Amino acid sequence: MNTPVIETEVAVDASELPRLTPHTHPLWWGVLGAVAIEAAVVANLLTSYFYLMAQNEVWPPEGVDPPDLSWATVVLFVLPISSVTMWWAGRGGDRNRKTQLALGVTASVGLASLALAFRSLQIASFDIRWDEHAYGSILWTITGFHFTHVVSAILGTAVVSVLAWRDYFTSERQLGVVVDTLYWYFVAGVFIPIYLVLYWAPRWL
């Protein structure tokens, strides 16, 4: 004997459910957690730098000059400017100004690419290898770590830029812009302590 199947439709009113905003979305908290982890890695690297400095009477070693300041100082100014254009882009996205959003993220990608070129010139000017001594190892490790961060920020924001020009982002799709901006601020801001430690600590201390 077959039992009849009774289908029942249940209407659910989702209007009363809490609405996730970009700053309360789990992905935002996930990116914030990733930024915190990477900030802890940078802090450990800089702490290692000072530990190695304390273990050596001469730092940098004899015959090795501290890294040249010129290109690194240019990067120090270019990256914060790119953060300003990212902030401007985010403001445009919040106000549904799609052209402002697209222009802002594109300008940020261009500025960061310029900073990456300057960083490459600065790295090429290093007169030591990474495997010569402890100073060379920590210098190359910290520099390479941040260089990789800039590359990843450029790639991610380039995708956001393409989507922005294709009118992908709406008031409901701002999450991608928000999390990308958060990571961008970290990449630009973390260069300040790196700059002070790698380029000024050997001259001051």
Side-chain angles (χ1 to χ4, degrees):
M1 179 176 180
N2 295 328
T3 303
V5 177
I6 301 175
E7 296 183 358
T8 304
E9 293 185 0
V10 178
V12 178
D13 183 8
S15 61
E16 300 298 325
L17 294 176
R19 185 183 181 86
L20 289 174
T21 64
H23 294 286
T24 60
H25 197 282
L27 180 59
W28 186 84
W29 286 103
V31 173
L32 185 63
V35 166
I37 293 172
E38 293 185 10
V41 173
V42 173
N44 282 325
L45 289 173
L46 297 181
T47 301
S48 299
Y49 181 95
F50 285 113
Y51 174 79
L52 293 172
M53 176 187 286
Q55 300 302 309
N56 291 268
E57 295 183 2
V58 180
W59 189 266
E62 288 286 352
V64 177
D65 294 326
D68 183 70
L69 286 169
S70 56
W71 292 120
T73 303
V74 173
V75 174
L76 183 69
F77 285 96
V78 173
L79 283 180
I81 293 174
S82 73
S83 293
V84 173
T85 54
M86 280 296 289
W87 171 84
W88 183 70
R91 293 283 289 179
D94 293 339
R95 299 176 180 180
N96 203 29
R97 298 174 180 173
K98 296 183 179 181
T99 301
Q100 179 177 332
L101 170 62
L103 287 173
V105 292
T106 303
S108 297
V109 170
L111 287 168
S113 299
L114 189 62
L116 199 64
F118 292 146
R119 202 84 168 97
S120 300
L121 291 173
Q122 181 261 324
I123 292 173
S125 69
F126 285 170
D127 59 352
I128 54 173
R129 289 162 46 93
W130 65 271
D131 57 350
E132 287 187 35
H133 36 61
Y135 176 76
S137 296
I138 195 65
L139 175 66
W140 277 94
T141 299
I142 296 175
T143 300
F145 190 70
H146 184 257
F147 189 92
T148 304
H149 275 92
V150 177
V151 171
S152 64
I154 290 174
L155 293 176
T157 307
V159 174
V160 173
S161 177
V162 171
L163 292 175
W165 285 111
R166 293 173 64 88
D167 290 337
Y168 171 82
F169 295 107
T170 62
S171 57
E172 293 81 18
R173 292 176 174 176
Q174 288 301 306
L175 179 62
V177 177
V178 172
V179 297
D180 186 65
T181 302
L182 173 63
Y183 187 72
W184 192 281
Y185 289 161
F186 164 72
V187 172
V190 79
F191 184 66
I192 297 175
I194 290 175
Y195 173 82
L196 293 175
V197 171
L198 294 186
Y199 300 94
W200 284 105
R203 292 174 166 88
W204 286 343
L205 303 178

